Every structure is written in structure tokens, then in C-alpha cells.
């Protein structure tokens, strides 16, 4: 076996489930990829410009029933709402496509404490910045934009945030 094949297998195994994402080579936390999102106002922001102890990336599709259910589940979370209120957590909801008609129709349904944007140019998917085999997809990032959980479930996010926010 060559090193490239081993690296690919390790990388794929690391991406397969939720858990702290680490570089297969160094074992250090994997840093999230930066991207630009566009708000309903047309204003743009970047992931790296967000400042918070924790950032929850919520990738979704506005027509997806599972996405709606997860949004409601997250919005009802006492832990998430407490941390948002304490300004320790920011939720960035991103539609990773550039089809804005459906997105604009549901934009007001997002909780007002969340940042809701779309990916103008669909760069996130085109460049493969995040593993999203299906939507919704959750990523929990720390203040340095290291991925603490990837493709996580809501329960896993709550458990992690409870553990680190005491």
C-alpha cells in the first residue's frame, strides 16, 4: 500500500461520522474551511469573520422536511438558547446553493437569533469544502474554527455544548 492510499482511507474514515475532526497526519484538530455567505439583504459575511466561543454550522435545504424538523429541534434546545443568550454561541444557517427563490420564501422562518444565508455561486459544494452527503448537516466549531463535531446529530451537539459550557 502506498501512503496516499492510507491517507485517503484514514481521511474517509475520519469524515464518516460525528466526532472531533482531526488531521490524519498530525492528529491536530482540523480547521474548518472559510466561505462567504450572502444574507437576504445582499450583504455578505464570512465564516472566519464570526467571533464566538462556539459556532454551529447548520447546512440545510429550504424544501427539506428533515431540515425543518432539525431547525425546530435546535430552536427548542435549552442549551443552545442559553449559550446564544450568553453570546457564547452563534448559529450560522447556510443553504449551500445559489437558488434563492425558495430560500427567500422561507428566510423569515429562521430563528431571529440565527444568521441565515445562502452560498452565492454554490462554492461550498463545488469546491467540496464540507462533507454533506445529505442535508441537513451540522458542524460544531470552536473559537479558532476547529471542527469539534462534523455531520453531527442534534443530541451530539447538545451533549458536547453541555460538557464544555459548565
Amino acid at each position: 500500500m502506498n501512503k496516499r492510499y492510507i491517507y485517503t482511507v484514514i481521511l474517509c474514515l475520519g469524515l464518516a461520522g460525528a466526532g472531533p475532526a482531526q488531521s490524519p497526519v498530525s492528529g491536530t484538530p482540523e480547521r474548518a474551511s472559510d466561505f462567504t455567505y450572502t444574507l437576504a439583504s445582499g450583504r455578505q459575511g464570512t465564516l472566519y469573520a464570526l467571533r464566538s466561543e462556539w459556532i454551529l454550522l447548520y447546512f440545510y435545504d429550504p424544501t427539506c422536511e428533515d431540515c425543518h424538523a432539525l431547525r425546530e429541534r435546535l430552536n427548542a434546545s435549552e442549551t443552545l438558547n442559553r449559550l446564544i443568550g450568553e453570546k457564547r454561541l452563534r448559529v450560522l444557517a447556510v443553504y449551500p446553493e445559489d437558488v434563492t427563490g425558495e430560500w427567500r420564501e422561507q428566510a423569515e422562518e429562521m430563528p431571529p437569533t440565527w444568521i441565515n444565508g445562502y452560498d452565492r455561486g454554490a462554492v461550498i459544494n463545488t469546491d467540496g469544502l464540507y462533507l454533506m452527503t445529505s442535508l441537513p448537516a451540522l458542524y460544531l466549531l470552536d473559537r479558532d474554527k476547529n471542527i469539534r463535531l462534523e455531520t453531527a446529530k442534534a443530541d451530539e451537539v447538545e451533549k458536547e455544548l453541555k460538557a464544555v459550557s459548565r
Side-chain angles (χ1 to χ4, degrees), residues 53-114:
E53 183 177 347
W54 297 99
I55 296 172
L56 180 61
L57 290 179
Y58 164 63
F59 293 108
Y60 74 100
D61 182 319
T63 64
C64 162
E65 290 183 27
D66 289 338
C67 299
H68 288 276
L70 180 58
R71 179 187 70 217
E72 295 305 315
R73 166 78 172 78
L74 294 172
N75 193 37
S77 168
E78 290 180 28
T79 301
L80 270 65
N81 284 316
R82 178 177 52 82
L83 291 171
I84 290 169
E86 293 171 357
K87 304 214 182 295
R88 296 176 62 196
L89 172 69
R90 303 285 308 260
V91 178
L92 175 57
V94 178
Y95 175 40
E97 295 293 334
D98 194 8
V99 181
T100 59
E102 294 167 340
W103 176 82
R104 286 188 189 284
E105 289 176 14
Q106 67 74 44
E108 292 184 18
E109 295 177 20
M110 282 293 170
T113 57
W114 295 13

Side-chain angles (χ1 to χ4, degrees), residues 31-35 46-51 55 130 144-145:
R31 187 140 190 215
S33 297
D34 194 16
F35 61 86
T46 66
L47 172 64
Y48 281 15
L50 292 177
R51 299 289 177 242
I55 296 172
Y130 289 84
D144 298 320
K145 310 303 185 283

Side-chain angles (χ1 to χ4, degrees), residues 116-130:
N116 182 30
Y118 69 94
D119 179 16
R120 182 181 291 166
V123 175
I124 294 170
N125 281 331
T126 303
D127 291 355
L129 300 181
Y130 289 84

Side-chain angles (χ1 to χ4, degrees), residues 17-36:
Q22 295 186 349
S23 163
V25 176
S26 66
T28 58
E30 182 181 345
R31 187 140 190 215
S33 297
D34 194 16
F35 61 86
T36 300

